[in-house]
Amino acid sequence: MSILPKCQIRIKTWRKLSIFALLGLLLSWVVSCSTSNVSNGAPQTTSGSVSIEFWTMQLQPEFTDYFKELIGNFELENPGIEKVQVLLVATRKEVTDTYMATFQQAGLKVDVLEINSFALLRTIREQLRQFSQQEAAVLVDIEFDNTEIAMVVDGVPQFSRTVPIGTYQLQSAILRAMNLPASRDTQLLQEIAIPTMTVDAGRPSVINADQGTAAMLRVLGELTDELRRSIDFYLNQSENLEVAQILLAGPGGGLRQLDEFFTQRLSLPTIQVDPVAALSLEVDEEKITASQRPGLGIVLGLGLREVWHDV
């Protein structure tokens, strides 16, 4: 069983050294349970590079001395390097322990714990090749009770944050407005199309929105604000970089006309990812509808981890 050991380091040599940075806590995980061993992987840049990746459940204080020694050895073995960026993937130990305990109680053996966005990137990596190194794609993974926002440059996540808004919060807003009992079954959302927006006095407005729809739009407005803050924050930390496209994924990413909603609100081209088409898979379109396809990206990406032998 391979469950992110204390620290796994992989160095792959090409002609130019470039090690990518991902700082902060990434709290959304994909879990694979089986009896086979799968090595830890992460997206690789489309340009030739050396990559060093640190995977750990919690950094301090357990790994402080280890990383200091590791950095010192790397500098000795690679003299003359002026700039080094590090891809750092970490989460709080209690978060990982919760997942581990849940699957242990279910009698399942865990092979892999993985960040959502890493699995998603496997399914759309060819699509990401259209962007240059000066163009960022924003991956928005709308799950049940949270949304993970990841800024992706050259196929590698550079910045990620999770906000507590998902399909459950969207549907709950509708049910409260209609005086209906709460439900964890979000099927109702799949039957709703996000209303068309029009511009009135320079501001977008909704035509003929009932109470439930209006309540849902207020929550979507909060998610839009969080998305805008994330984009502005990252762009303010970067030079000569622009956002080329927003990519919607997850169960909430397939809501009808949600791509048009974000395009209008953020003035950025937005599309709903289709991992089925991206991987040229044949499916029964009656059983797996277009609105369901964005929600398949994570499970397909996790499966590709083993098929592609740690891509």
Side-chain angles (χ1 to χ4, degrees):
M1 178 174 65
S2 58
I3 313 176
L4 303 186
K6 285 188 176 180
C7 185
Q8 179 188 16
I9 305 168
R10 296 181 295 131
I11 302 179
K12 300 184 179 180
T13 305
W14 284 279
R15 296 174 60 185
K16 181 180 178 183
L17 175 66
S18 174
I19 309 172
F20 300 93
L22 173 61
L23 298 176
L25 299 177
L26 306 177
L27 303 181
S28 299
W29 295 86
V30 180
V31 182
S32 171
C33 301
S34 69
T35 58
S36 61
N37 290 329
V38 183
S39 60
N40 293 298
Q44 297 178 10
T45 174
T46 55
S47 61
S49 65
V50 169
S51 64
I52 293 182
E53 303 166 11
F54 299 112
W55 290 75
T56 179
M57 295 180 186
Q58 187 164 320
L59 294 178
Q60 294 182 353
E62 288 87 350
F63 304 116
T64 301
D65 293 339
Y66 181 87
F67 279 111
K68 287 182 178 180
E69 180 182 356
L70 185 69
I71 292 170
N73 292 338
F74 180 82
E75 291 175 343
L76 290 174
E77 296 173 1
N78 299 272
I81 295 176
E82 297 180 355
K83 184 178 181 180
V84 175
Q85 293 177 306
V86 176
L87 173 61
L88 178 63
V89 183
T91 186
R92 294 188 181 277
K93 188 174 185 298
E94 55 265 29
V95 174
T96 305
D97 287 346
T98 299
Y99 282 98
M100 297 302 298
T102 299
F103 283 90
Q104 185 177 13
Q105 291 175 6
L108 297 174
K109 185 177 180 180
V110 177
D111 282 336
V112 176
L113 292 176
E114 187 173 55
I115 306 300
N116 280 4
S117 57
F118 279 50
L120 280 169
L121 288 174
R122 289 194 189 92
T123 67
I124 59 172
R125 64 175 187 173
E126 293 300 324
Q127 187 174 344
L128 293 173
R129 294 183 190 277
Q130 65 180 299
F131 305 121
S132 70
Q133 294 184 2
Q134 284 70 48
E135 294 178 318
V138 186
L139 187 58
V140 182
D141 175 27
I142 306 175
E143 296 292 332
F144 176 74
D145 59 359
N146 65 76
T147 294
E148 183 179 328
I149 303 170
M151 305 293 297
V152 182
V153 179
D154 200 21
V156 178
Q158 305 290 317
F159 166 79
S160 177
R161 65 185 291 247
T162 301
V163 296
I165 299 175
T167 57
Y168 177 73
Q169 285 74 18
L170 292 172
Q171 179 166 284
S172 294
I174 297 174
L175 297 177
R176 283 196 302 270
M178 299 173 66
N179 294 319
L180 295 175
S183 173
R184 295 180 66 85
D185 182 0
T186 58
Q187 183 61 36
L188 173 64
L189 283 179
Q190 305 304 320
E191 303 170 4
I192 297 176
I194 308 302
T196 302
M197 307 294 292
T198 61
V199 177
D200 182 17
R203 299 186 63 183
S205 60
V206 180
I207 296 179
N208 299 327
D210 56 37
Q211 280 189 321
T213 301
M216 177 188 66
L217 288 174
R218 285 193 290 271
V219 179
L220 276 177
E222 295 175 11
L223 181 57
T224 303
D225 291 340
E226 294 293 345
L227 183 53
R228 183 182 292 109
R229 292 189 190 101
S230 300
I231 293 173
D232 290 344
F233 172 81
Y234 183 71
L235 291 180
N236 288 336
Q237 312 301 314
S238 309
E239 296 181 359
N240 302 320
L241 189 68
E242 63 179 16
V243 172
Q245 196 170 62
I246 297 174
L247 307 174
L248 301 179
L255 297 180
R256 286 186 291 165
Q257 299 181 183
L258 183 60
D259 51 344
E260 297 179 22
F261 178 88
F262 282 127
T263 296
Q264 293 173 334
R265 286 293 184 97
L266 297 169
S267 299
L268 289 170
T270 305
I271 66 169
Q272 296 166 315
V273 301
D274 187 347
V276 173
L279 298 172
S280 301
L281 301 178
E282 295 183 3
V283 299
D284 188 334
E285 295 186 2
E286 293 185 358
K287 294 182 178 180
I288 302 179
T289 64
S291 63
Q292 293 174 322
R293 290 188 176 192
L296 298 177
I298 293 176
V299 65
L300 290 174
L302 186 60
L304 289 173
R305 183 188 185 103
E306 184 170 0
V307 173
W308 288 350
H309 303 292
D310 192 23
V311 173

